[in-house]
Amino acid sequence: MTPRKPAAAREGEPLSAHLVAAAERLLARHGAAGLTVRAIAREAQVADGVLYNHFADKEELIALALRAHVRSVERSLPPLPTAAGSGTLEDNLRSYVGYGLALHLAILPAFAGLVAHPKILHRFAELSMPVEQGPPLRAALTAYLRAEQALGRLSPEADPDAAATMIVGACHELILPHLFHGTAAAEIAVPPDFAGKLVATCLRGIAPPGV
């Protein structure tokens, strides 16, 4: 028998989406580590066993909630420059670096403690974009750099995918290792002019000759 939809669910909202939204609210407040089926059920106002009617296990639900949380954070950030040829390449790349740092700092609390839960992280990785495209930020930056290259604002020998990986990877390296140490996002210090130095280093390899 199909379980009764809780009063808290929005009109027309599938119960599975309601459960993901409930789990997302909890992990946004408390992080994903230690998040229990009972806590999610209470937040969603359903019986504990209802979750297993819609998800293979708790790990699948939490992975979906993590992805929803990351998307929510992305929507809250300023839009990325995607129009090739507008502004300066340096300023646009600084915007990508700033976006990457803000994104990683914002989602860090939700992932705190998950190093000890590789099954959840594996499920989350499976929900990401295909490996050949890469994560959304890197894919967006790669597409932007290719468009700039087509306009001649990047060297024809430059590798946009490698440049995007370098920039996004630097943001990863600065923030995500703190997961292993339990450092609060507010305690993470970004080096002075990190974006400027990273962009200058990258531009030395991809700028057109003479620039």
Side-chain angles (χ1 to χ4, degrees):
M1 182 173 66
T2 303
R4 183 172 61 87
K5 180 179 291 188
R10 296 191 297 269
E11 185 65 30
E13 179 184 44
L15 187 52
S16 58
H18 174 67
L19 293 169
V20 170
E24 181 191 354
R25 289 194 297 272
L26 288 175
L27 69 87
R29 293 199 296 263
H30 309 295
L35 189 56
T36 65
V37 167
R38 174 168 293 184
I40 297 171
R42 295 295 175 272
E43 178 74 15
Q45 300 180 26
V46 299
D48 295 0
V50 168
L51 278 68
Y52 296 103
N53 294 333
H54 300 274
F55 307 97
D57 47 35
K58 181 184 76 171
E59 287 78 11
E60 180 187 15
L61 172 55
I62 293 178
L64 287 165
L66 281 169
R67 182 178 66 172
H69 178 61
V70 172
R71 297 294 177 264
S72 294
V73 171
E74 288 172 338
R75 289 192 294 271
S76 73
L77 296 174
L80 288 165
T82 56
S86 62
T88 68
L89 192 59
E90 180 180 1
D91 285 344
N92 290 341
L93 290 181
R94 278 176 174 266
S95 294
Y96 274 94
V97 175
Y99 181 102
L101 292 176
L103 173 64
H104 287 92
L105 283 169
I107 67 175
L108 183 70
F111 284 82
L114 284 184
V115 175
H117 299 274
K119 188 175 180 181
I120 295 175
L121 293 174
H122 178 69
R123 290 291 185 86
F124 175 77
E126 288 181 331
L127 295 171
S128 299
M129 296 179 69
V131 174
E132 63 271 14
Q133 296 183 41
L137 176 58
R138 196 179 78 202
L141 179 51
T142 299
Y144 165 74
L145 290 173
R146 285 175 178 160
E148 291 285 20
Q149 190 175 46
L151 293 178
R153 299 220 297 176
L154 258 65
S155 167
E157 283 76 36
D159 185 336
D161 186 66
T165 299
M166 173 184 172
I167 290 173
V168 177
C171 296
H172 275 280
E173 178 62 24
L174 187 65
I175 306 299
L176 295 188
H178 290 280
L179 284 172
F180 295 96
H181 306 292
T183 309
E187 299 174 358
I188 298 175
V190 177
D193 198 24
F194 175 81
K197 293 175 181 177
L198 174 59
V199 168
T201 300
C202 185
L203 284 176
R204 281 197 288 271
I206 63 175
V211 175

